[in-house]
Amino acid sequence: MTGMKTLAICLTICLSVAIWAAGAENAGAASASGADCTTAPAVLGIDSLDSPVSPLQQLDVYGFEDAKGCDSVPVVVYVHGGGWRKGDKRVVGNKATFFNELGYVFVSVNYRLSDPVRNPDRPQHPAHADDVGAAVAWVEQHIDAYGGDSEQLALIGHSAGAHLVALVGLDDTYVEQADGDVSAIQCVISNDTASYDLLARGEDGPGAKLLVANAFGADEDTLRDASPLTHVGDDDDTPDFLVVRRGTPDRQGAQTAFGDALEAAGGSVTMVDTPGYTHADVNAQIGVPGETVITPPIEEFAQDCLG
């Protein structure tokens, strides 16, 4: 009888904890996205400029239904990688679902690409950053229609996109020239780039030098201005940063140096190491159910920054 009583007490306690946890989870979802909110069908191919000069100046919105009692929620803006010469906003993996389930509107951005094959007159810097800045300004001006809070933005980018979100988050030029307010950017997730200092990146070998020259040219002043490291400390109100660190010792050294510079300028920095993950893994694994390396630190950082 004693054993059965102990088991019954255990079952009762366990059941109570499970019910409490489920209630807490549901309460969190309701407070994040509003009690009457449901995820809306994705709206694809929205022009991010009133008069676009390229079909790549577009974005996709994964938002919430506009329902009575639905609170505005923070917005996560994603910028793809691809060496500034390829990539597409439609390739988001699990990210849209993951961030929606956290209670955030998710926006995926395209930008003009320096593709020497498809576009011999390829655009170069500042075209990529101009387009990302314009997309951020569009979000501030229009995202309320999709359930988003225009004053609570996070930027996340991978590879070349990690360079671009770091640059746009630190240099006011790109958002403000599109009539946006850079102060809406609360945090930046810069996911595995070696391009915080483009002058140094051009010295990493022939492949890196060609990649940088294709997108930015060879003018040292241009390369310096296009480097996020140059703009650390430009403003007192720097967004919080999460910097993903992986790769060769030189690559990790560049990522560490960027984080150190942000901290020295008074910024808040979270460094995330991803042992065993490739450059592709750190992007593709975000939001994968049960993933334990990259998803949990991004979730914790986003919730600390955005709520």
Side-chain angles (χ1 to χ4, degrees):
M1 288 295 293
T2 302
M4 293 181 64
K5 182 177 181 181
T6 302
L7 177 60
I9 293 172
C10 178
L11 289 173
T12 301
I13 294 173
C14 292
L15 180 60
S16 298
V17 170
I19 292 171
W20 173 86
E25 181 178 345
N26 290 335
S31 64
S33 59
D36 298 323
C37 280
T38 56
T39 304
V43 183
L44 309 178
I46 302 170
D47 289 339
S48 52
L49 289 164
D50 291 337
S51 301
V53 297
S54 167
L56 290 174
Q57 293 170 313
Q58 290 190 339
L59 51 82
D60 300 338
V61 177
Y62 302 78
F64 296 96
E65 297 283 3
D66 185 12
K68 184 177 180 180
C70 180
D71 298 329
S72 295
V73 301
V75 185
V76 174
V77 180
Y78 171 66
V79 182
H80 69 76
W84 308 281
R85 65 190 296 273
K86 62 182 180 179
D88 191 271
K89 61 181 171 55
R90 294 171 295 180
V91 184
V92 298
N94 293 277
K95 296 179 192 67
T97 299
F98 168 67
F99 284 111
N100 279 170
E101 288 180 349
L102 289 181
Y104 307 141
V105 172
F106 181 77
V107 178
S108 185
V109 172
N110 265 354
Y111 51 94
R112 283 171 289 173
L113 299 172
S114 300
D115 185 341
V117 176
R118 297 182 182 180
N119 185 5
D121 298 324
R122 64 189 181 279
Q124 291 185 315
H125 177 79
H128 328 97
D130 283 346
D131 290 351
V132 173
V136 171
W138 183 96
V139 168
E140 293 179 11
Q141 295 155 9
H142 301 284
I143 205 63
D144 59 325
Y146 304 88
D149 181 350
S150 62
E151 297 181 356
Q152 292 286 320
L153 309 185
L155 308 185
I156 176 172
H158 173 246
S159 193
H163 159 267
L164 289 170
V165 296
L167 181 61
V168 170
L170 291 170
D171 185 347
D172 297 355
T173 302
Y174 304 103
V175 174
E176 292 186 348
Q177 70 187 4
D179 297 325
D181 183 355
V182 74
S183 68
I185 302 172
Q186 303 298 306
C187 41
V188 176
I189 299 170
S190 185
N191 186 4
D192 192 16
T193 182
S195 299
Y196 297 116
D197 182 350
L198 289 169
L199 285 168
R201 182 75 197 278
E203 299 172 358
D204 286 346
K209 187 173 183 178
L210 286 173
L211 189 68
V212 170
N214 176 66
F216 299 91
D219 178 73
E220 288 193 1
D221 288 340
T222 299
L223 293 173
R224 190 175 293 107
D225 185 60
S227 298
L229 188 61
T230 300
H231 300 282
V232 171
D234 278 3
D235 295 311
D236 294 333
D237 190 18
T238 300
D240 295 347
F241 265 79
L242 182 151
V243 176
V244 174
R245 180 169 52 193
R246 61 150 300 282
T248 65
D250 285 347
R251 186 183 187 90
Q252 292 191 41
Q255 294 160 346
T256 300
F258 178 67
D260 289 345
L262 286 168
E263 286 192 336
S268 174
V269 184
T270 300
M271 302 295 296
V272 175
D273 294 307
T274 56
Y277 270 24
T278 67
H279 181 57
D281 289 339
V282 293
N283 184 50
Q285 292 297 314
I286 295 173
V288 172
E291 195 275 334
T292 60
V293 176
I294 190 71
T295 302
I298 286 179
E299 178 175 348
E300 181 179 355
F301 175 79
Q303 291 180 331
D304 285 346
C305 177
L306 297 174

PDB file of all heavy atoms in Angstrom, residues 204-239:
ATOM      1  N   ASP A 204      42.649  37.504 -47.190  1.00  0.00           N
ATOM      2  CA  ASP A 204      42.491  36.129 -46.726  1.00  0.00           C
ATOM      3  C   ASP A 204      42.813  35.082 -47.794  1.00  0.00           C
ATOM      4  O   ASP A 204      42.685  33.894 -47.537  1.00  0.00           O
ATOM      5  CB  ASP A 204      41.061  35.896 -46.221  1.00  0.00           C
ATOM      6  CG  ASP A 204      40.810  36.541 -44.874  1.00  0.00           C
ATOM      7  OD1 ASP A 204      41.797  36.930 -44.226  1.00  0.00           O
ATOM      8  OD2 ASP A 204      39.643  36.655 -44.482  1.00  0.00           O
ATOM      9  N   GLY A 205      43.165  35.522 -48.974  1.00  0.00           N
ATOM     10  CA  GLY A 205      43.484  34.596 -50.052  1.00  0.00           C
ATOM     11  C   GLY A 205      42.798  35.009 -51.335  1.00  0.00           C
ATOM     12  O   GLY A 205      41.928  35.892 -51.342  1.00  0.00           O
ATOM     13  N   PRO A 206      43.185  34.383 -52.467  1.00  0.00           N
ATOM     14  CA  PRO A 206      42.639  34.784 -53.768  1.00  0.00           C
ATOM     15  C   PRO A 206      41.123  34.681 -53.852  1.00  0.00           C
ATOM     16  O   PRO A 206      40.466  35.552 -54.417  1.00  0.00           O
ATOM     17  CB  PRO A 206      43.319  33.806 -54.740  1.00  0.00           C
ATOM     18  CG  PRO A 206      44.558  33.358 -54.036  1.00  0.00           C
ATOM     19  CD  PRO A 206      44.212  33.339 -52.584  1.00  0.00           C
ATOM     20  N   GLY A 207      40.543  33.610 -53.279  1.00  0.00           N
ATOM     21  CA  GLY A 207      39.099  33.435 -53.362  1.00  0.00           C
ATOM     22  C   GLY A 207      38.354  34.539 -52.641  1.00  0.00           C
ATOM     23  O   GLY A 207      37.406  35.120 -53.175  1.00  0.00           O
ATOM     24  N   ALA A 208      38.782  34.847 -51.427  1.00  0.00           N
ATOM     25  CA  ALA A 208      38.135  35.915 -50.669  1.00  0.00           C
ATOM     26  C   ALA A 208      38.342  37.264 -51.337  1.00  0.00           C
ATOM     27  O   ALA A 208      37.427  38.094 -51.387  1.00  0.00           O
ATOM     28  CB  ALA A 208      38.681  35.944 -49.243  1.00  0.00           C
ATOM     29  N   LYS A 209      39.525  37.482 -51.867  1.00  0.00           N
ATOM     30  CA  LYS A 209      39.815  38.759 -52.525  1.00  0.00           C
ATOM     31  C   LYS A 209      38.908  38.968 -53.727  1.00  0.00           C
ATOM     32  O   LYS A 209      38.362  40.070 -53.938  1.00  0.00           O
ATOM     33  CB  LYS A 209      41.276  38.810 -52.952  1.00  0.00           C
ATOM     34  CG  LYS A 209      41.710  40.162 -53.501  1.00  0.00           C
ATOM     35  CD  LYS A 209      43.204  40.196 -53.745  1.00  0.00           C
ATOM     36  CE  LYS A 209      43.646  41.580 -54.219  1.00  0.00           C
ATOM     37  NZ  LYS A 209      45.118  41.643 -54.412  1.00  0.00           N
ATOM     38  N   LEU A 210      38.700  37.912 -54.533  1.00  0.00           N
ATOM     39  CA  LEU A 210      37.819  38.011 -55.693  1.00  0.00           C
ATOM     40  C   LEU A 210      36.373  38.231 -55.270  1.00  0.00           C
ATOM     41  O   LEU A 210      35.643  39.014 -55.891  1.00  0.00           O
ATOM     42  CB  LEU A 210      37.929  36.746 -56.548  1.00  0.00           C
ATOM     43  CG  LEU A 210      39.209  36.597 -57.374  1.00  0.00           C
ATOM     44  CD1 LEU A 210      39.259  35.218 -58.028  1.00  0.00           C
ATOM     45  CD2 LEU A 210      39.290  37.688 -58.448  1.00  0.00           C
ATOM     46  N   LEU A 211      35.946  37.542 -54.214  1.00  0.00           N
ATOM     47  CA  LEU A 211      34.569  37.680 -53.734  1.00  0.00           C
ATOM     48  C   LEU A 211      34.302  39.105 -53.284  1.00  0.00           C
ATOM     49  O   LEU A 211      33.275  39.707 -53.624  1.00  0.00           O
ATOM     50  CB  LEU A 211      34.332  36.703 -52.579  1.00  0.00           C
ATOM     51  CG  LEU A 211      32.893  36.544 -52.088  1.00  0.00           C
ATOM     52  CD1 LEU A 211      32.038  35.858 -53.136  1.00  0.00           C
ATOM     53  CD2 LEU A 211      32.872  35.760 -50.774  1.00  0.00           C
ATOM     54  N   VAL A 212      35.227  39.663 -52.516  1.00  0.00           N
ATOM     55  CA  VAL A 212      35.068  41.027 -52.035  1.00  0.00           C
ATOM     56  C   VAL A 212      35.135  42.025 -53.176  1.00  0.00           C
ATOM     57  O   VAL A 212      34.320  42.955 -53.272  1.00  0.00           O
ATOM     58  CB  VAL A 212      36.140  41.340 -50.962  1.00  0.00           C
ATOM     59  CG1 VAL A 212      36.148  42.825 -50.629  1.00  0.00           C
ATOM     60  CG2 VAL A 212      35.884  40.513 -49.704  1.00  0.00           C
ATOM     61  N   ALA A 213      36.093  41.855 -54.088  1.00  0.00           N
ATOM     62  CA  ALA A 213      36.234  42.781 -55.213  1.00  0.00           C
ATOM     63  C   ALA A 213      35.001  42.759 -56.104  1.00  0.00           C
ATOM     64  O   ALA A 213      34.586  43.802 -56.634  1.00  0.00           O
ATOM     65  CB  ALA A 213      37.475  42.427 -56.022  1.00  0.00           C
ATOM     66  N   ASN A 214      34.383  41.589 -56.274  1.00  0.00           N
ATOM     67  CA  ASN A 214      33.190  41.489 -57.110  1.00  0.00           C
ATOM     68  C   ASN A 214      32.040  42.319 -56.562  1.00  0.00           C
ATOM     69  O   ASN A 214      31.309  42.960 -57.321  1.00  0.00           O
ATOM     70  CB  ASN A 214      32.756  40.023 -57.208  1.00  0.00           C
ATOM     71  CG  ASN A 214      31.467  39.850 -57.985  1.00  0.00           C
ATOM     72  OD1 ASN A 214      31.401  40.102 -59.173  1.00  0.00           O
ATOM     73  ND2 ASN A 214      30.410  39.433 -57.286  1.00  0.00           N
ATOM     74  N   ALA A 215      31.886  42.337 -55.242  1.00  0.00           N
ATOM     75  CA  ALA A 215      30.740  43.017 -54.634  1.00  0.00           C
ATOM     76  C   ALA A 215      31.041  44.443 -54.203  1.00  0.00           C
ATOM     77  O   ALA A 215      30.117  45.267 -54.122  1.00  0.00           O
ATOM     78  CB  ALA A 215      30.251  42.210 -53.426  1.00  0.00           C
ATOM     79  N   PHE A 216      32.321  44.753 -53.956  1.00  0.00           N
ATOM     80  CA  PHE A 216      32.652  46.054 -53.363  1.00  0.00           C
ATOM     81  C   PHE A 216      33.685  46.853 -54.153  1.00  0.00           C
ATOM     82  O   PHE A 216      33.920  48.024 -53.846  1.00  0.00           O
ATOM     83  CB  PHE A 216      33.172  45.856 -51.926  1.00  0.00           C
ATOM     84  CG  PHE A 216      32.173  45.215 -51.012  1.00  0.00           C
ATOM     85  CD1 PHE A 216      32.138  43.839 -50.860  1.00  0.00           C
ATOM     86  CD2 PHE A 216      31.254  45.984 -50.325  1.00  0.00           C
ATOM     87  CE1 PHE A 216      31.209  43.235 -50.027  1.00  0.00           C
ATOM     88  CE2 PHE A 216      30.317  45.390 -49.489  1.00  0.00           C
ATOM     89  CZ  PHE A 216      30.297  44.011 -49.344  1.00  0.00           C
ATOM     90  N   GLY A 217      34.326  46.223 -55.140  1.00  0.00           N
ATOM     91  CA  GLY A 217      35.402  46.900 -55.831  1.00  0.00           C
ATOM     92  C   GLY A 217      36.691  46.821 -55.028  1.00  0.00           C
ATOM     93  O   GLY A 217      36.807  46.037 -54.083  1.00  0.00           O
ATOM     94  N   ALA A 218      37.655  47.675 -55.376  1.00  0.00           N
ATOM     95  CA  ALA A 218      38.966  47.607 -54.743  1.00  0.00           C
ATOM     96  C   ALA A 218      39.366  48.901 -54.043  1.00  0.00           C
ATOM     97  O   ALA A 218      40.446  48.972 -53.460  1.00  0.00           O
ATOM     98  CB  ALA A 218      40.026  47.238 -55.784  1.00  0.00           C
ATOM     99  N   ASP A 219      38.514  49.906 -54.092  1.00  0.00           N
ATOM    100  CA  ASP A 219      38.829  51.170 -53.464  1.00  0.00           C
ATOM    101  C   ASP A 219      38.854  51.012 -51.941  1.00  0.00           C
ATOM    102  O   ASP A 219      37.874  50.561 -51.334  1.00  0.00           O
ATOM    103  CB  ASP A 219      37.801  52.234 -53.859  1.00  0.00           C
ATOM    104  CG  ASP A 219      38.062  53.556 -53.199  1.00  0.00           C
ATOM    105  OD1 ASP A 219      39.027  54.240 -53.590  1.00  0.00           O
ATOM    106  OD2 ASP A 219      37.306  53.906 -52.261  1.00  0.00           O
ATOM    107  N   GLU A 220      39.955  51.394 -51.318  1.00  0.00           N
ATOM    108  CA  GLU A 220      40.114  51.155 -49.885  1.00  0.00           C
ATOM    109  C   GLU A 220      39.119  51.961 -49.045  1.00  0.00           C
ATOM    110  O   GLU A 220      38.635  51.478 -48.019  1.00  0.00           O
ATOM    111  CB  GLU A 220      41.551  51.466 -49.459  1.00  0.00           C
ATOM    112  CG  GLU A 220      42.558  50.436 -49.951  1.00  0.00           C
ATOM    113  CD  GLU A 220      43.907  50.569 -49.278  1.00  0.00           C
ATOM    114  OE1 GLU A 220      44.049  51.463 -48.409  1.00  0.00           O
ATOM    115  OE2 GLU A 220      44.804  49.779 -49.603  1.00  0.00           O
ATOM    116  N   ASP A 221      38.821  53.168 -49.456  1.00  0.00           N
ATOM    117  CA  ASP A 221      37.847  53.961 -48.704  1.00  0.00           C
ATOM    118  C   ASP A 221      36.466  53.312 -48.747  1.00  0.00           C
ATOM    119  O   ASP A 221      35.740  53.311 -47.742  1.00  0.00           O
ATOM    120  CB  ASP A 221      37.768  55.379 -49.261  1.00  0.00           C
ATOM    121  CG  ASP A 221      38.995  56.207 -48.927  1.00  0.00           C
ATOM    122  OD1 ASP A 221      39.715  55.842 -47.971  1.00  0.00           O
ATOM    123  OD2 ASP A 221      39.253  57.206 -49.624  1.00  0.00           O
ATOM    124  N   THR A 222      36.097  52.750 -49.917  1.00  0.00           N
ATOM    125  CA  THR A 222      34.817  52.050 -50.036  1.00  0.00           C
ATOM    126  C   THR A 222      34.794  50.815 -49.147  1.00  0.00           C
ATOM    127  O   THR A 222      33.814  50.557 -48.427  1.00  0.00           O
ATOM    128  CB  THR A 222      34.548  51.650 -51.496  1.00  0.00           C
ATOM    129  OG1 THR A 222      34.497  52.823 -52.303  1.00  0.00           O
ATOM    130  CG2 THR A 222      33.239  50.884 -51.628  1.00  0.00           C
ATOM    131  N   LEU A 223      35.880  50.046 -49.186  1.00  0.00           N
ATOM    132  CA  LEU A 223      35.946  48.834 -48.372  1.00  0.00           C
ATOM    133  C   LEU A 223      35.880  49.167 -46.885  1.00  0.00           C
ATOM    134  O   LEU A 223      35.222  48.472 -46.110  1.00  0.00           O
ATOM    135  CB  LEU A 223      37.226  48.069 -48.680  1.00  0.00           C
ATOM    136  CG  LEU A 223      37.325  47.457 -50.082  1.00  0.00           C
ATOM    137  CD1 LEU A 223      38.711  46.882 -50.317  1.00  0.00           C
ATOM    138  CD2 LEU A 223      36.261  46.383 -50.276  1.00  0.00           C
ATOM    139  N   ARG A 224      36.530  50.236 -46.517  1.00  0.00           N
ATOM    140  CA  ARG A 224      36.512  50.641 -45.110  1.00  0.00           C
ATOM    141  C   ARG A 224      35.109  51.074 -44.687  1.00  0.00           C
ATOM    142  O   ARG A 224      34.613  50.688 -43.616  1.00  0.00           O
ATOM    143  CB  ARG A 224      37.521  51.782 -44.897  1.00  0.00           C
ATOM    144  CG  ARG A 224      37.759  52.132 -43.435  1.00  0.00           C
ATOM    145  CD  ARG A 224      38.865  53.176 -43.304  1.00  0.00           C
ATOM    146  NE  ARG A 224      40.171  52.645 -43.710  1.00  0.00           N
ATOM    147  CZ  ARG A 224      40.801  52.969 -44.841  1.00  0.00           C
ATOM    148  NH1 ARG A 224      40.260  53.845 -45.686  1.00  0.00           N
ATOM    149  NH2 ARG A 224      41.971  52.447 -45.130  1.00  0.00           N
ATOM    150  N   ASP A 225      34.455  51.852 -45.518  1.00  0.00           N
ATOM    151  CA  ASP A 225      33.116  52.330 -45.185  1.00  0.00           C
ATOM    152  C   ASP A 225      32.090  51.200 -45.167  1.00  0.00           C
ATOM    153  O   ASP A 225      31.106  51.267 -44.428  1.00  0.00           O
ATOM    154  CB  ASP A 225      32.676  53.403 -46.186  1.00  0.00           C
ATOM    155  CG  ASP A 225      31.345  54.031 -45.812  1.00  0.00           C
ATOM    156  OD1 ASP A 225      31.261  54.621 -44.718  1.00  0.00           O
ATOM    157  OD2 ASP A 225      30.383  53.909 -46.604  1.00  0.00           O
ATOM    158  N   ALA A 226      32.320  50.171 -45.980  1.00  0.00           N
ATOM    159  CA  ALA A 226      31.392  49.041 -46.047  1.00  0.00           C
ATOM    160  C   ALA A 226      31.653  48.006 -44.965  1.00  0.00           C
ATOM    161  O   ALA A 226      30.948  46.988 -44.897  1.00  0.00           O
ATOM    162  CB  ALA A 226      31.483  48.372 -47.419  1.00  0.00           C
ATOM    163  N   SER A 227      32.649  48.242 -44.114  1.00  0.00           N
ATOM    164  CA  SER A 227      32.996  47.301 -43.047  1.00  0.00           C
ATOM    165  C   SER A 227      32.238  47.637 -41.763  1.00  0.00           C
ATOM    166  O   SER A 227      32.361  48.755 -41.252  1.00  0.00           O
ATOM    167  CB  SER A 227      34.501  47.363 -42.766  1.00  0.00           C
ATOM    168  OG  SER A 227      35.251  46.986 -43.905  1.00  0.00           O
ATOM    169  N   PRO A 228      31.477  46.708 -41.224  1.00  0.00           N
ATOM    170  CA  PRO A 228      30.784  46.979 -39.954  1.00  0.00           C
ATOM    171  C   PRO A 228      31.725  47.431 -38.845  1.00  0.00           C
ATOM    172  O   PRO A 228      31.360  48.286 -38.026  1.00  0.00           O
ATOM    173  CB  PRO A 228      30.131  45.635 -39.625  1.00  0.00           C
ATOM    174  CG  PRO A 228      29.913  44.990 -40.959  1.00  0.00           C
ATOM    175  CD  PRO A 228      31.096  45.391 -41.784  1.00  0.00           C
ATOM    176  N   LEU A 229      32.939  46.893 -38.816  1.00  0.00           N
ATOM    177  CA  LEU A 229      33.883  47.253 -37.769  1.00  0.00           C
ATOM    178  C   LEU A 229      34.154  48.751 -37.747  1.00  0.00           C
ATOM    179  O   LEU A 229      34.350  49.343 -36.672  1.00  0.00           O
ATOM    180  CB  LEU A 229      35.187  46.482 -37.969  1.00  0.00           C
ATOM    181  CG  LEU A 229      36.237  46.589 -36.860  1.00  0.00           C
ATOM    182  CD1 LEU A 229      35.693  46.047 -35.541  1.00  0.00           C
ATOM    183  CD2 LEU A 229      37.507  45.849 -37.262  1.00  0.00           C
ATOM    184  N   THR A 230      34.140  49.384 -38.929  1.00  0.00           N
ATOM    185  CA  THR A 230      34.398  50.819 -39.018  1.00  0.00           C
ATOM    186  C   THR A 230      33.353  51.625 -38.257  1.00  0.00           C
ATOM    187  O   THR A 230      33.649  52.701 -37.730  1.00  0.00           O
ATOM    188  CB  THR A 230      34.401  51.265 -40.492  1.00  0.00           C
ATOM    189  OG1 THR A 230      35.428  50.554 -41.189  1.00  0.00           O
ATOM    190  CG2 THR A 230      34.613  52.760 -40.646  1.00  0.00           C
ATOM    191  N   HIS A 231      32.131  51.111 -38.176  1.00  0.00           N
ATOM    192  CA  HIS A 231      31.013  51.886 -37.633  1.00  0.00           C
ATOM    193  C   HIS A 231      30.670  51.530 -36.189  1.00  0.00           C
ATOM    194  O   HIS A 231      29.688  52.051 -35.647  1.00  0.00           O
ATOM    195  CB  HIS A 231      29.799  51.712 -38.545  1.00  0.00           C
ATOM    196  CG  HIS A 231      30.055  52.185 -39.942  1.00  0.00           C
ATOM    197  ND1 HIS A 231      30.040  53.510 -40.292  1.00  0.00           N
ATOM    198  CD2 HIS A 231      30.384  51.491 -41.072  1.00  0.00           C
ATOM    199  CE1 HIS A 231      30.333  53.631 -41.581  1.00  0.00           C
ATOM    200  NE2 HIS A 231      30.544  52.428 -42.070  1.00  0.00           N
ATOM    201  N   VAL A 232      31.456  50.658 -35.597  1.00  0.00           N
ATOM    202  CA  VAL A 232      31.260  50.374 -34.174  1.00  0.00           C
ATOM    203  C   VAL A 232      31.517  51.654 -33.379  1.00  0.00           C
ATOM    204  O   VAL A 232      32.541  52.311 -33.544  1.00  0.00           O
ATOM    205  CB  VAL A 232      32.208  49.263 -33.696  1.00  0.00           C
ATOM    206  CG1 VAL A 232      32.157  49.126 -32.175  1.00  0.00           C
ATOM    207  CG2 VAL A 232      31.859  47.937 -34.362  1.00  0.00           C
ATOM    208  N   GLY A 233      30.567  52.040 -32.551  1.00  0.00           N
ATOM    209  CA  GLY A 233      30.705  53.241 -31.749  1.00  0.00           C
ATOM    210  C   GLY A 233      30.237  54.509 -32.425  1.00  0.00           C
ATOM    211  O   GLY A 233      30.364  55.599 -31.861  1.00  0.00           O
ATOM    212  N   ASP A 234      29.670  54.390 -33.651  1.00  0.00           N
ATOM    213  CA  ASP A 234      29.144  55.584 -34.326  1.00  0.00           C
ATOM    214  C   ASP A 234      28.059  56.258 -33.499  1.00  0.00           C
ATOM    215  O   ASP A 234      27.955  57.489 -33.479  1.00  0.00           O
ATOM    216  CB  ASP A 234      28.570  55.206 -35.703  1.00  0.00           C
ATOM    217  CG  ASP A 234      29.647  55.086 -36.772  1.00  0.00           C
ATOM    218  OD1 ASP A 234      30.840  55.234 -36.429  1.00  0.00           O
ATOM    219  OD2 ASP A 234      29.302  54.834 -37.941  1.00  0.00           O
ATOM    220  N   ASP A 235      27.217  55.446 -32.839  1.00  0.00           N
ATOM    221  CA  ASP A 235      26.104  55.968 -32.046  1.00  0.00           C
ATOM    222  C   ASP A 235      26.182  55.430 -30.623  1.00  0.00           C
ATOM    223  O   ASP A 235      26.721  54.348 -30.379  1.00  0.00           O
ATOM    224  CB  ASP A 235      24.763  55.566 -32.664  1.00  0.00           C
ATOM    225  CG  ASP A 235      24.550  56.195 -34.034  1.00  0.00           C
ATOM    226  OD1 ASP A 235      24.753  57.416 -34.154  1.00  0.00           O
ATOM    227  OD2 ASP A 235      24.208  55.461 -34.970  1.00  0.00           O
ATOM    228  N   ASP A 236      25.598  56.178 -29.708  1.00  0.00           N
ATOM    229  CA  ASP A 236      25.542  55.714 -28.326  1.00  0.00           C
ATOM    230  C   ASP A 236      24.562  54.554 -28.158  1.00  0.00           C
ATOM    231  O   ASP A 236      24.745  53.695 -27.305  1.00  0.00           O
ATOM    232  CB  ASP A 236      25.130  56.864 -27.401  1.00  0.00           C
ATOM    233  CG  ASP A 236      26.178  57.962 -27.353  1.00  0.00           C
ATOM    234  OD1 ASP A 236      27.368  57.659 -27.577  1.00  0.00           O
ATOM    235  OD2 ASP A 236      25.808  59.126 -27.111  1.00  0.00           O
ATOM    236  N   ASP A 237      23.511  54.541 -29.000  1.00  0.00           N
ATOM    237  CA  ASP A 237      22.441  53.558 -28.864  1.00  0.00           C
ATOM    238  C   ASP A 237      22.673  52.403 -29.837  1.00  0.00           C
ATOM    239  O   ASP A 237      22.001  52.276 -30.858  1.00  0.00           O
ATOM    240  CB  ASP A 237      21.084  54.219 -29.121  1.00  0.00           C
ATOM    241  CG  ASP A 237      19.928  53.312 -28.759  1.00  0.00           C
ATOM    242  OD1 ASP A 237      20.149  52.340 -28.009  1.00  0.00           O
ATOM    243  OD2 ASP A 237      18.801  53.555 -29.230  1.00  0.00           O
ATOM    244  N   THR A 238      23.653  51.543 -29.532  1.00  0.00           N
ATOM    245  CA  THR A 238      23.983  50.402 -30.384  1.00  0.00           C
ATOM    246  C   THR A 238      23.042  49.244 -30.087  1.00  0.00           C
ATOM    247  O   THR A 238      22.786  48.942 -28.919  1.00  0.00           O
ATOM    248  CB  THR A 238      25.436  49.961 -30.142  1.00  0.00           C
ATOM    249  OG1 THR A 238      26.313  51.043 -30.460  1.00  0.00           O
ATOM    250  CG2 THR A 238      25.790  48.755 -31.006  1.00  0.00           C
ATOM    251  N   PRO A 239      22.511  48.574 -31.113  1.00  0.00           N
ATOM    252  CA  PRO A 239      21.672  47.393 -30.844  1.00  0.00           C
ATOM    253  C   PRO A 239      22.457  46.313 -30.113  1.00  0.00           C
ATOM    254  O   PRO A 239      23.689  46.237 -30.230  1.00  0.00           O
ATOM    255  CB  PRO A 239      21.270  46.924 -32.251  1.00  0.00           C
ATOM    256  CG  PRO A 239      21.583  48.047 -33.173  1.00  0.00           C
ATOM    257  CD  PRO A 239      22.684  48.822 -32.555  1.00  0.00           C
TER     258      PRO A 239
END
